[in-house]
Amino acid sequence: MKINMENKEILHEVKKNLSSKYLLPTLQIANREFTAKILKELGFVNAYLEDVDKPLQTPNCIILVFSFPKSYEEKFESIVNVLEKEVVNYVSNYKIDDCVYGVIFKVLPEWVYIIDLFKKGKYSEFGENYAKEFKIESSKNRSLVLEQYKVITRDPSYLLQKAEDLGIKPSVLDHLDLDDHPDVNDYIFNYNKIKENANKQ
C-alpha cells in the first residue's frame, strides 16, 4: 500500500467491523431503502461507538464514518441537510479529514440496552425483537434471514454448521455466543492508527 494514498483509499481498505454488522438497526435512520442508499452513495466505512479524537457530548450515540471523493461533498451536505430536518435522532456531523466525515446519531431508546451487550459479545441476549431487524420480508411471502438473525437466535442449523466449520462438537458451543467477541477496534474509531497501519503495508 502506498504512503501517499488518498484518505478515501486508506479507509476503504478497512474491513467492516462488528459494530457495522450488528448496531445499524439501533438507529433506524429512516426506512431501510433510504438508509442503504445513503450508506452506499456516500462511501460508508464503518460504525463506531467512540472516536479517540472526539469525545461524544451526547450519550448512547453511534458514529457513522464516511469517506468519499471531493466531487461528492455537495451531495453529502445536501443529505446532511435532510437528516437535520427529518431524522429525529440525528445529532451532528464533523470533519475528520479531507473528504472524511463522521455523522453522529442517537440510538433509539428501545435499543440502548443493546450497546452494553454488544461490547460484551452477548449477541444471544439481544432478544427476538431486535433479531427481527435482520429478517427482511419480501413481497412474495418469503424472507431473507441474515447471519445476524441466526447468531442472535442461536439458530440450531447455524450452530451445527458453525461447529462443523470450527471442527468441534456442537456441545462446545452450548454456552458460547456464535460470533466473535468485539475488540476495541470494532467500536472505537482511531483515524491516526488506521493511517499508520496503512502506511506500514
Side-chain angles (χ1 to χ4, degrees):
M1 189 176 294
K2 297 178 181 179
I3 291 178
N4 63 350
M5 288 176 68
E6 292 184 11
N7 298 330
K8 65 184 180 66
E9 293 174 322
I10 290 172
L11 283 176
H12 283 287
E13 291 291 326
V14 177
K15 181 181 178 182
K16 287 291 180 283
N17 62 13
L18 289 171
S19 294
S20 298
K21 184 174 181 179
Y22 285 101
L23 298 181
L24 290 180
T26 65
L27 304 180
Q28 293 181 348
I29 299 169
N31 58 56
R32 193 185 300 271
E33 291 74 21
F34 177 76
T35 302
K37 179 180 174 65
I38 65 170
L39 293 183
K40 180 178 180 180
E41 290 192 0
L42 291 181
F44 173 65
V45 178
N46 262 323
Y48 296 91
L49 297 173
E50 302 173 42
D51 182 339
V52 294
D53 295 316
K54 186 177 177 62
L56 292 174
Q57 303 302 311
T58 306
N60 302 318
C61 286
I62 290 178
I63 305 163
L64 303 187
V65 174
F66 294 91
S67 176
F68 45 78
K70 185 75 173 174
S71 59
Y72 274 55
E73 279 194 313
E74 189 173 325
K75 178 182 286 189
F76 174 78
E77 291 173 3
S78 67
I79 289 179
V80 165
N81 286 336
V82 173
L83 296 175
E84 289 177 335
K85 295 174 183 177
E86 300 185 15
V87 179
V88 294
N89 57 325
Y90 169 84
V91 176
S92 63
N93 72 89
Y94 63 102
K95 186 173 183 177
I96 297 167
D97 204 342
D98 289 339
C99 300
V100 182
Y101 287 81
V103 182
I104 304 171
F105 294 91
K106 194 168 179 62
V107 173
L108 296 182
E110 61 265 38
W111 301 136
V112 168
Y113 76 94
I114 294 290
I115 303 302
D116 188 52
L117 291 174
F118 168 76
K119 288 182 177 180
K120 295 175 181 176
K122 295 183 177 181
Y123 308 108
S124 59
E125 295 183 25
F126 284 6
E128 180 67 26
N129 284 338
Y130 192 71
K132 289 177 182 176
E133 297 294 327
F134 299 101
K135 193 173 184 180
I136 304 170
E137 303 297 335
S138 73
S139 58
K140 298 181 179 180
N141 294 322
R142 295 180 180 179
S143 59
L144 173 62
V145 178
L146 303 181
E147 180 189 3
Q148 295 95 315
Y149 180 88
K150 299 174 184 178
V151 170
I152 295 169
T153 60
R154 295 184 62 79
D155 177 80
S157 297
Y158 183 79
L159 187 151
L160 290 174
Q161 184 60 54
K162 190 84 170 179
E164 184 178 327
D165 293 343
L166 294 172
I168 59 176
K169 294 180 179 179
S171 59
V172 175
L173 297 175
D174 282 350
H175 302 291
L176 298 175
D177 276 274
L178 302 181
D179 206 343
D180 296 333
H181 190 289
D183 64 28
V184 292
N185 295 323
D186 281 305
Y187 57 85
I188 299 179
F189 182 60
N190 189 333
Y191 186 53
N192 288 327
K193 183 177 179 181
I194 290 171
K195 290 197 295 183
E196 286 173 9
N197 290 339
N199 290 336
K200 288 176 183 178
Q201 297 182 24

